[in-house]
Amino acid sequence: MDILLDKSEIRRYAGYKEKFKIIPEIEEKIDILISEIKQKARVKYTYEIFDVSILGDEVKFADITFKSRFLAKNLKCCDKIILLAITLGNEVDSMIRRYSTIDGTSMILVQAIAAEYLEKYIDKIEKEILSKIDKKVYFKPRFSPGYSDLDIVHQKDVINILNATKKIGLSTTSSYMLTPAKSVTAIIGITDTDYKNVKNKCSSCMLTNCSMREK
């Protein structure tokens, strides 16, 4: 897939308070690192669509139950979900380790570019899924284990349900962190209700104290 990255989002992920402020030497470095990441990334993903039922703060699908008040709220009006896992591969992790020893600024930028790359790639995957559904539906904001009140231990459940270790080489550590690190798992609700005209990705997010939040 041809992925176009938003450099203002990269600046935001990198911690810029003024994400639209252009600093020429940083912009040059971002461009170089984008090119390097695109060359080194070995993107793999897998997903499945499941029926889902919500009872109170319990979310049930694939013969398993996730307990999360905010996930249940997010999936309101949904009868199906997409369970997704995606990784950029080990080479990007190696880039981060290498830059951590020689150039701290580049390390931070690689982290930020990888985050934006994953987001944009998932956007493309969602469009791919939409094209295969023969009716008008809408996707709820993505929700991942470890976010809000959804316990990070569920990373292991997602990996197991999707057989992601065998399919895309994605697994978890003993503390339920993903490895390769530059990877994402997500639960995406599918609804036929046009629930909100979202102008930015943070406007429907329930984590109101996040430092990355856009006003």
Side-chain angles (χ1 to χ4, degrees):
M1 293 185 184
D2 181 29
I3 304 296
L4 181 63
L5 303 186
D6 184 341
K7 290 173 71 175
S8 69
E9 283 295 284
I10 292 169
R11 297 185 206 105
R12 184 171 76 96
Y13 285 126
Y16 277 58
K17 291 185 178 179
E18 299 177 68
K19 71 175 186 177
F20 295 109
K21 184 177 181 180
I22 305 299
I23 302 173
E25 58 269 30
I26 296 296
E27 292 303 294
E28 182 180 359
K29 185 168 284 194
I30 289 173
D31 288 336
I32 291 170
L33 292 172
I34 286 174
S35 178
E36 186 176 356
I37 283 180
K38 286 188 173 183
Q39 288 175 5
K40 291 187 178 297
R42 300 293 181 265
V43 183
K44 295 181 180 179
Y45 66 90
T46 185
Y47 68 84
E48 292 186 38
I49 297 175
F50 296 97
D51 293 331
V52 65
S53 62
I54 315 296
L55 182 61
D57 59 0
E58 292 186 343
V59 176
K60 298 183 179 182
F61 64 95
D63 297 321
I64 198 166
T65 299
F66 287 6
K67 190 170 182 179
S68 164
R69 180 167 65 93
F70 289 109
L71 176 60
K73 182 177 179 181
N74 183 53
L75 296 178
K76 183 180 179 181
C77 302
C78 298
D79 57 7
K80 293 183 182 295
I81 61 161
I82 302 161
L83 196 64
L84 167 73
I86 179 172
T87 182
L88 299 185
N90 288 310
E91 290 290 334
V92 175
D93 283 10
S94 296
M95 276 183 66
I96 293 168
R97 289 193 296 270
R98 175 163 54 87
Y99 280 117
S100 71
T101 64
I102 61 175
D103 185 348
T105 299
S106 289
M107 180 197 71
I108 291 169
L109 291 173
V110 171
Q111 296 265 20
I113 293 164
E116 169 66 359
Y117 197 17
L118 283 165
E119 286 294 306
K120 288 297 188 290
Y121 214 105
I122 295 172
D123 288 345
K124 289 275 190 179
I125 295 169
E126 287 187 349
K127 289 180 181 178
E128 171 191 300
I129 296 170
L130 274 174
S131 71
K132 297 177 181 178
I133 298 175
D134 58 3
K135 65 175 182 177
K136 183 67 173 178
V137 296
Y138 305 88
F139 290 162
K140 288 293 193 79
R142 303 189 276 263
F143 209 104
S144 300
Y147 170 74
S148 188
D149 65 341
L150 182 59
D151 200 316
I152 197 170
V153 301
H154 291 305
Q155 291 283 32
K156 189 75 171 178
D157 295 318
V158 174
I159 296 298
N160 289 339
I161 292 167
L162 292 175
N163 197 17
T165 302
K166 182 177 180 180
K167 289 181 178 177
I168 63 173
L170 182 60
S171 58
T172 65
T173 66
S174 59
S175 56
Y176 305 103
M177 303 301 291
L178 295 173
T179 180
K182 288 305 154 189
S183 307
V184 168
T185 64
I187 300 162
I188 307 165
I190 303 175
T191 177
D192 56 8
T193 302
D194 187 1
Y195 64 98
K196 198 168 186 180
N197 182 20
V198 179
K199 294 183 178 180
N200 70 68
K201 67 180 68 177
C202 297
S203 63
S204 57
C205 172
M206 289 164 283
L207 196 63
T208 57
N209 63 345
C210 176
S211 63
M212 303 294 289
R213 188 176 181 85
E214 292 185 356
K215 305 299 182 183

